[in-house]
Amino acid sequence: MVVPRVPEQRRTGSEGPGALRFGVLGPVRAWRGGKSLNTGSPQQRALLAALLLREGRTATAAELIDALWGEEPPLQALAAVRTYASRLRKVLGAGLLVSESGGYAVRGLGERTLDLAAAQDLAAEAEKARGAGDLGHARELLGRALALWDGETLAGVPGPYAEAQRVRLEEWRLQLRESRLDMDLEQGCHAEAVSELTALTAAHPLSERLRELLMLALYRSGRQAEALAVYADTRRLLADELGVDPRPGLQELQQRILRADPGLAEPPAPVAEAAAAPVRPAQLPATIPDFTGRTALVAELGDVLASAEGRVMAVSALAGIGGVGKTTLAVHVAHQARTAFPDGQLYVDLQGAGSRSAEPETVLGSFLRALGTADSAIPDSLEERAALYRSVLDGRRVLVLLDNAHDAAQVRPLLPGTAGCAALVTSRVRMVGLAGAHLVDLDVMSPEEALALFTKIVGEERVASEREAALDVVAACGFLPLAIRIAASRLAARRTWTVSVLAAKLADERRRLDELQAGDLAVKATFELGYGQLEPLQARAFRLLGLADGPDISVAAAAAALDLPAEDTEDLLESLVDTSLLESAAPGRYRFHDLVRLYARACAERDEEPPSERRAAMSRLLDFYLATAAGVYAIERPGERVLAHFAATRLPGLVFPDRDRALEWLFSESECLLACARQGAAAGMQRKAADLLMAAVDLGESGANSLQFTQAAAAVSEAARAVGDDWAEGRARTMLTHVHSVSGRFADAEEEGSRALGLGLVSADPVACGQAPNQRGIIALYEGRHGDAEAHFGQALEAFRADDNQPGAAAVLCNLSRVHLATGRTDSAVELARTGVEIYERDATGQALRLANGKYALGMALTSAGRTAEARVALLDALEIFHNSRQLLWHGMTLFRLAELHLTDQQPAAAASHAEQALVLLRGIGGDWRRANVLTVLGRALSAIGHTDRAHVCWQDALSMFEALSSPEAAGVRALLNPAAVA
């Protein structure tokens, strides 16, 4: 990449709040501070551009006349130049534009005063970063340089000099884009690159380098047929236009794709956003300063890890009962081995001892993000994620610590599988099914090690005088490290106790379980030691908070469950952290070790008086989540009547200062919230659980949480069915209908929708009676059953109006607009959508999610009516709201509608770019029906820009999906593939 010479003149100026800035990477403009200055007529701007681009050198009058008019200047050219210069001097100041030797010059510009100068500096820095191997930083620098362009260079500036400079700088811009795209592919951002490369190949059809990058990006995105089609299109174009074959490099790439050459696999360490995606994760938990003993095991495991460089993969699996110190030992060994794994360390708690162990695909998603992979580049299936994970780790030296595994099946997809990497696994079971693993059975500590650990925590002075009592304590603890730590922590916190006092307490068999040395019972006995020393309020908090199923809990949620002020709750939680019975997961969040949670629940069943308090605590927690989620729902959907039909809560919930904070809470609490819904339904609180799902419906549309949302909705519906609660079951099945629909599972959605409507009618629930037929109408619309769709929407509209639910009615009108579109009633479609938007605008803020839905429908209708300028405004408004609301599905679908609009406007390159962006966002969400629609439009766009072979590949893929779904759209795609048959 050649960087144009950096102007010397900018090095001598100064910058300040009123400093001048100039732009040539787009229209020629000038600003003083933040105020735009009038740079005059096109010829006056041409004069300014000529002076700025001469880098402080003087331009004679003759040179400027030639720059502005070339060989045919006007008679008064010299006078015109002097007039332009005089006017510019008045605007810019006499000290900047100077007269010299019968000509003019711009002098004294400050650092990066000219946008071109800033771009040149950034490009030079990027070149240095790339040379140093820091591709992430280099890519970020080039992105900043390219962002300085605002349209075509020197846009609207006349004259031969401007034209020559425009060509030169646009060529340089293309070089920068090629370099950045090349780095995109080197860092695994192939899916995102396809959209830009498609547009660039349309704009520069004879650039074989761009075609090569596009082929590689498509191949690495799993689109091999399209990659080969790009080659076929290129070969045909070059033969027709230039009478030549593709260059050898492009031919070789085609052959390698045909062979599925492993060397074309994506490179290691993809980094989508250098600033936000660390390429060297350091996720190991902190090692404890008082680690004691296990000397032989530390050496043994260290040797295994050290052998990773010369082996395919080094795996060590530690097994032992809860509390024996598996995690502590693994973390300690991992920290000691960090220098042998310079590319990072990954850690995850697989929650294998709990009722809901971590899903491997979820863990892989987290690992890939930590390694710098963009969310949009992470595939949906477990197999694809595991393959991408292994590819990312190829050639790197990374240590993976898989803590608390359930079994070998959970672990296998998470193993790196490449030379130089290693994995440490801890589990309560022996990993005999883990082929090639180095198995270690971790026993309790020796008496000497146990006493040493106890002494480190309590203090040498207190133990030295009561050695025998200390030995009695560690023996009573079964020599389990966790038990010893709990007992020692209690003693350390009570300066008035002696070791003998603690030993006497532990000697009381009523305070210990007889089966101290038998499996999990030993763990329970160790927890009994700490629990028995808790103050009453601490013990109550320990018992009640252990009932919650979520992975952790916030202070606010804990305060609700305990029915205490937040400040008092936080003090209680911190005191439990001090006893080692609770962990601080993050500021303001707390979690139980999974075995401690089980013990806490056992204590609640045994000790909580009255027993009804357990249900009351869970009811308060459910109330908290419902009230807070309802508040978020109200912000996103102002005026929505469904809130009036929610079950009453005795807690007000959190109040958020703005929409962003509200959404941040909803998505960060998603796992806890959905777990509470499942748990509440199982405990007989089906109605509130169903309402919670409705309030948190955004989670079902986000993509990241749709699976968990579906599982929770299914659990709530079954719990409601079991007790004959038609009201709650109808609402839960309404949510199932919705989440199946947005995931493209239309048959399942229709079945659930039919049941939901029947239950809503039986229970006279206005929510299900409105939402269920609306959802059924959407499904019928997607399936081409337009008569059914119109009938369902009519039923929904009647129900919403009967409930005085104006936003609900607006939603139906917007959906009905799409039926009118599909049946050729374009004018009425526009009016229906516009009416829906007007209803939304009465109550909605500019960023309300419902308003985005309305503008999405209006944009579609206006596009079909040929009113593309209005449609573009509506769709861009919707796009912004969906993006800010984290609605990946509808963000992607709006990009798809913009692609349709560009096709209508005869802008196929822009259509292809937007369709490609939609495909990236819709990976793993929305289902095959939506993806097939996007592929159909992408194929039409590609065909229009001459990429016919690739267009046919897209249509073939779309046809396969439509046929598998028995969708009516299949006929249209067949016509695209074989127009002669239709004719």
Side-chain angles (χ1 to χ4, degrees), residues 65 68-78 80 84:
I65 290 171
L68 269 63
W69 293 286
E71 297 179 357
E72 298 181 358
L75 293 176
Q76 302 298 320
L78 180 58
Y84 298 151

Side-chain angles (χ1 to χ4, degrees), residues 229-308:
V230 169
Y231 179 82
D233 286 332
T234 305
R235 182 177 59 184
R236 183 177 60 255
L237 178 68
L238 292 174
D240 292 345
E241 297 290 330
L242 305 177
V244 298
D245 290 328
R247 60 182 176 80
L250 203 61
Q251 296 180 36
E252 181 185 359
L253 178 59
Q254 182 226 19
Q255 292 300 313
R256 294 178 68 189
I257 290 174
L258 286 169
R259 298 194 306 268
D261 186 344
L264 291 179
E266 61 190 81
V271 183
E273 297 180 16
V279 295
R280 295 182 181 87
Q283 298 183 340
L284 293 178
T287 189
I288 58 172
D290 51 19
F291 182 84
T292 304
R294 313 291 199 189
T295 305
L297 283 176
V298 169
E300 177 184 342
L301 292 169
D303 290 341
V304 174
L305 295 181
S307 70

Side-chain angles (χ1 to χ4, degrees), residues 165-181:
Q165 293 299 314
R166 185 162 34 245
V167 170
R168 177 180 72 90
L169 292 174
E170 284 299 308
E171 287 179 354
W172 182 53
R173 181 187 187 183
L174 182 60
Q175 290 176 20
L176 295 180
R177 294 180 76 175
E178 285 184 4
S179 296
R180 200 213 64 237
L181 286 162

Side-chain angles (χ1 to χ4, degrees), residues 127 248 298 321 602 981:
E127 196 75 10
V298 169
I321 62 172

Side-chain angles (χ1 to χ4, degrees), residues 820-836:
H820 282 229
L821 273 184
T823 52
R825 293 171 282 175
T826 306
D827 291 342
S828 58
V830 172
E831 290 309 309
L832 284 168
R834 196 178 297 281
T835 301

